[in-house]
Amino acid sequence: MSINLEQLATANKAAVESLQAVANVALASAERIAALNLSTARAAIEDSASGAKAVLAAKNAKEAVDIQSSLAQPALEKAVGYSRSIYEIATQGQGELTKLMEAQFAGFQKSLAEAVQQSARSLPQGTVGGFGGIQSAVDNMNSSFSRMNEMSRQFAELAQANFSAVTQAAEAMTKGVRK
């Protein structure tokens, strides 16, 4: 079997483009998380400073305690919002990576099928039967990939349900603090 240099160059180019796409998704998510973290840190410093000023300006201990209590609810709401934002960034990044992976696997499946067919055509008459094992391996690989995608989807759904439950509990807790 001869090596087709053009096919090899095309495959290498596709691999580099694939890695670049994955890196771009990862970097975009990291940038969004970094921006969120900076924004959250800035807001926390400002909130802490204004809260400290308000407590220090209190005329008596009861007023200071009341001020501190009133600061707890907005802090909890901000923590829930931060967690929601992190989750959304992670979910979006995971979704983009899944789409890239599925597209790459589809391309790989197509290339593999073409290579198997081309190899089968180049074999002497009557020896093609041995390719049944290769086709079976390809079918098993496709089935495994489908199961992996289904498990990934179920895991994402479970994570979403758990995150929603935690968020609802935290929001209920902030409402209890507000009263």
Side-chain angles (χ1 to χ4, degrees):
M1 185 156 115
S2 64
I3 297 175
N4 183 331
L5 294 178
E6 187 177 315
Q7 287 178 334
L8 184 61
T10 300
N12 284 335
K13 181 181 177 188
V16 168
E17 289 172 355
S18 175
L19 289 173
Q20 184 179 14
V22 168
N24 286 338
V25 169
L27 289 173
S29 293
E31 286 175 346
R32 290 180 61 201
I33 289 172
L36 177 64
N37 285 341
L38 288 173
S39 173
T40 301
R42 184 175 289 117
I45 290 169
E46 291 171 2
D47 291 347
S48 293
S50 68
K53 288 178 185 176
V55 169
L56 291 173
K59 295 182 181 24
N60 57 48
K62 182 185 178 332
E63 186 179 346
V65 169
D66 289 344
I67 291 170
Q68 282 184 316
S69 295
S70 71
L71 297 174
Q73 187 264 331
L76 284 173
E77 288 176 356
K78 287 180 182 180
V80 169
Y82 174 80
S83 297
R84 183 178 292 124
S85 296
I86 289 289
Y87 180 78
E88 288 170 359
I89 292 168
T91 300
Q92 182 183 18
Q94 185 265 339
E96 290 175 26
L97 289 174
T98 298
K99 287 178 187 174
L100 285 171
M101 185 177 75
E102 288 172 350
Q104 288 300 312
F105 189 75
F108 173 73
Q109 285 176 307
K110 182 181 175 193
S111 296
L112 184 61
E114 289 171 359
V116 168
Q117 287 176 358
Q118 184 178 8
S119 295
R121 283 192 297 266
S122 68
L123 289 175
Q125 198 73 338
T127 59
V128 176
F131 270 75
I134 293 174
Q135 187 59 48
S136 177
V138 169
D139 291 344
N140 286 339
M141 179 183 63
N142 291 337
S143 177
S144 294
F145 185 76
S146 294
R147 284 192 302 271
M148 183 184 72
N149 276 346
E150 179 61 21
M151 288 173 53
S152 176
R153 185 191 58 74
Q154 289 174 352
F155 178 77
E157 288 174 359
L158 179 63
Q160 174 64 40
N162 287 339
F163 182 78
S164 294
V166 168
T167 301
Q168 288 174 355
E171 287 173 346
M173 200 167 79
T174 62
K175 288 177 185 172
V177 171
R178 228 181 277 159
K179 291 179 180 182

